Amino acid sequence: MVKNYMELLVSETLKDIIKDYDICTCDDCINDIKSIALNNLPPVYFLSSIDEGQKKAFLLDRQRKISVLAKVAEAIQIVSNNSHNKGNKKMRESL
């Protein structure tokens, strides 16, 4: 199975920081946040010959985590400003 490791990192980061924000956590908003962040980050796939240690190193890289954190925070801001819960469903659909 092919896996985008950036997607794993975005999901992990969002899970860690979402509690620090006053934002809707419905599935639609969470998926919007992930989508926006992932669209602004490069996808990362590993060859089958890469060992688990290298994959784990990717997920633990400090600079990468900071970059992902910044993109997730930007995505949270975008979604919170355009959330359907603010009566702006049309804007949310365009995200």
Side-chain angles (χ1 to χ4, degrees):
M1 175 189 227
V2 176
K3 239 190 299 196
N4 179 356
Y5 278 78
M6 190 62 77
E7 188 172 343
L8 295 175
L9 193 53
V10 165
S11 293
E12 180 182 295
T13 301
L14 180 58
K15 188 176 90 176
D16 289 346
I17 68 167
I18 195 72
K19 64 189 172 299
D20 298 332
Y21 291 87
D22 182 26
I23 186 172
C24 175
T25 56
C26 74
D27 287 343
D28 286 340
C29 288
I30 294 298
N31 288 331
D32 287 347
I33 292 166
K34 288 179 184 179
S35 295
I36 292 167
L38 286 166
N39 283 329
N40 289 290
L41 291 162
V44 177
Y45 298 93
F46 289 101
L47 298 173
S48 57
S49 60
I50 300 295
D51 65 34
E52 290 300 313
Q54 289 174 300
K55 294 173 187 175
K56 190 71 169 174
F58 168 83
L59 295 172
L60 296 175
D61 180 76
R62 183 178 173 94
Q63 185 58 51
R64 186 171 292 110
K65 286 181 105 171
I66 291 169
S67 297
V68 169
L69 176 62
K71 294 300 182 187
V72 170
E74 288 174 18
I76 288 171
Q77 190 65 42
I78 291 167
V79 171
S80 70
N81 289 339
N82 299 297
S83 175
H84 66 281
N85 293 322
K86 289 186 175 181
N88 199 352
K89 185 170 178 137
K90 203 169 232 198
M91 177 56 120
R92 190 198 158 282
E93 289 172 353
S94 70
L95 292 177

